[in-house]
């Protein structure tokens, strides 16, 4: 895990547009954490829950979205998205510019603390663990990958307009199955050990780049003012659910690597 963030690419970015940007919504983030929880070793789960005041990783999965507008945690507001260049290479937000980082930039801060967690005080470890639980989910949300040549746009959902970003964030997964987070975990967590091992290979940077390649197709599926019909939802939800499943396995992998 020590080398998981390498290699690092640093670039400047176009302006971020993060208003109303809450990757996956509550159910999706809870489902990611619930899938991860099913794959924790006993020791890792006990250690994680001790750090989290006895609570589950599911309990805290949305916490980072809930505090992003507060003065105390405003510095994390841009950590919820990733950036890639035209070749789908991960780029990490300019470290001293006005954007205050992105997902990989945040994880650059988080991982060293968690890798050496016994050297830090309890509250520092706890907050960094809460960040990690949430950001692995956001990393895998298709609209939380920012491409150089793509901007958000409005689509038509029923009788109203909504941003394409918001559709993927909060409306899509509940528009087909509308399961609870635990039902999503039951239905999506179906990969065997060999497949899970394959999914968990690579670094955090590799995972961002894979998401960028796999999720780019959503911009072929819709454009400005497109009517979002049930056919779209039926197709798109397959990708969304797969990303939730993958994020769950990878979150478990990281937590086991850190705390087992
Ligand atoms: Zn988020």
């Amino acid at each position: 895990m020590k080398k998981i963030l390498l290699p690092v690419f640093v670039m400047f970015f176009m302006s971020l547009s993060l208003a109303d940007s809450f990757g996956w919504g509550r159910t999706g983030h809870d489902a990611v954490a619930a899938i991860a929880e099913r794959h924790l070793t006993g020791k890792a789960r006990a250690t994680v829950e001790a750090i989290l005041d006895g609570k589950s990783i599911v309990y805290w999965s949305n916490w980072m979205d809930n505090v992003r507008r507060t003065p105390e945690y405003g510095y994390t507001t841009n950590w919820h998205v990733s950036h890639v260049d035209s070749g789908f290479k991960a780029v990490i937000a300019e470290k001293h510019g006005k954007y205050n980082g992105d997902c990989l930039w945040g994880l650059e801060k988080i991982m060293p603390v968690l890798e050496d967690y016994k050297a830090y005080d309890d509250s520092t470890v706890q907050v960094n663990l809460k960040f990690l639980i949430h950001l692995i989910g956001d990393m895998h949300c298709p609209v939380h990958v920012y491409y150089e040549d793509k901007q958000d746009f409005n689509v038509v959902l029923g009788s109203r307009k909504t941003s394409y970003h918001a559709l993927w964030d909060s409306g899509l997964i509940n528009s087909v199955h509308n399961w609870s987070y635990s039902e999503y975990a039951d239905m999506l967590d179906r990969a065997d050990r060999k497949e899970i091992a394959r999914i968990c290979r690579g670094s955090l940077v590799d995972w961002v780049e894979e998401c960028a390649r796999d999720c780019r197709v959503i911009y072929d599926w819709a454009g400005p003012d497109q009517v979002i019909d049930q056919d779209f939802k039926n197709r798109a939800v397959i990708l969304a659910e797969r990303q939730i499943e993958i994020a769950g396995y990878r979150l478990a992998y990281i937590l086991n690597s850190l705390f087992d």
Side-chain angles (χ1 to χ4, degrees):
M1 294 301 294
K2 300 289 184 188
K3 303 295 184 188
I4 202 161
L5 270 169
L6 298 176
V8 172
F9 299 88
V10 180
M11 289 182 65
F12 288 91
F13 299 101
M14 297 177 67
S15 174
L16 306 181
S17 175
L18 291 172
D20 302 321
S21 171
F22 295 95
W24 292 131
R26 296 178 188 286
T27 306
H29 275 291
D30 288 350
V32 168
I35 291 169
E37 193 167 59
R38 295 158 63 118
H39 292 271
L40 293 180
T41 66
K43 182 180 176 186
R45 181 170 178 161
T47 304
V48 163
E49 292 187 358
I51 293 169
L52 297 175
D53 293 334
K55 294 209 165 45
S56 159
I57 57 174
V58 178
Y59 184 90
W60 295 110
S61 70
N62 282 283
W63 174 84
M64 196 173 174
D65 276 341
N66 297 334
V67 300
R68 62 186 293 182
R69 304 290 183 212
T70 65
E72 186 176 5
Y73 295 105
Y75 68 96
T76 66
T77 195
N78 290 337
W79 292 14
H80 301 250
V81 301
S82 303
H83 296 267
V84 294
D85 67 15
S86 58
F88 301 151
K89 284 291 183 187
V91 289
I92 299 178
E94 199 278 321
K95 297 188 178 183
H96 303 290
K98 61 183 177 180
Y99 305 130
N100 295 315
D102 59 7
C103 183
L104 287 172
W105 163 235
L107 288 164
E108 270 195 339
K109 303 277 172 279
I110 294 163
M111 293 304 292
V113 173
L114 296 179
E115 286 165 350
D116 196 21
Y117 70 96
K118 291 180 180 172
Y120 291 85
D121 64 80
D122 292 350
S123 63
T124 299
V125 176
Q126 186 184 84
V127 75
N128 280 276
L129 180 54
K130 292 175 186 173
F131 288 156
L132 175 68
I133 293 164
H134 183 82
L135 289 181
I136 297 301
D138 272 351
M139 175 191 286
H140 291 81
C141 183
V143 285
H144 280 234
V145 179
Y146 279 25
Y147 302 90
E148 285 183 337
D149 62 336
K150 295 296 179 187
Q151 301 286 331
D152 196 17
F153 49 83
N154 283 331
V155 292
V156 179
L157 186 64
S159 59
R160 64 185 175 88
K161 285 197 171 188
T162 186
S163 74
Y164 198 49
H165 191 125
L167 171 73
W168 280 87
D169 264 358
S170 55
L172 179 63
I173 67 165
N174 292 330
S175 69
V176 178
H177 290 122
N178 198 24
W179 289 319
S180 67
Y181 79 81
S182 53
E183 290 170 330
Y184 274 105
D186 285 343
M187 293 298 111
L188 301 184
D189 178 16
R190 297 300 169 113
D192 61 25
R193 290 178 61 179
K194 190 174 173 185
E195 171 71 355
I196 292 171
R198 187 196 65 74
I199 288 168
C200 294
R201 278 203 295 266
S203 67
L204 294 169
V205 171
D206 292 332
W207 296 348
V208 166
E209 293 175 350
E210 182 196 89
C211 290
R213 291 190 301 273
D214 291 351
C215 298
R216 171 78 178 195
V217 69
I218 71 168
Y219 295 100
D220 297 334
W221 292 349
D225 299 320
Q226 179 163 325
V227 174
I228 301 300
D229 58 16
Q230 194 62 40
D231 284 345
F232 174 94
K233 295 174 186 174
N234 293 343
R235 175 171 54 180
V237 83
I238 295 170
L239 175 62
E241 291 174 352
R242 177 63 173 165
Q243 291 299 109
I244 288 170
E245 180 187 7
I246 289 170
Y249 297 142
R250 288 175 173 169
L251 177 57
Y253 172 78
I254 295 174
L255 294 175
N256 287 334
S257 299
L258 291 168
F259 300 115
D260 183 46

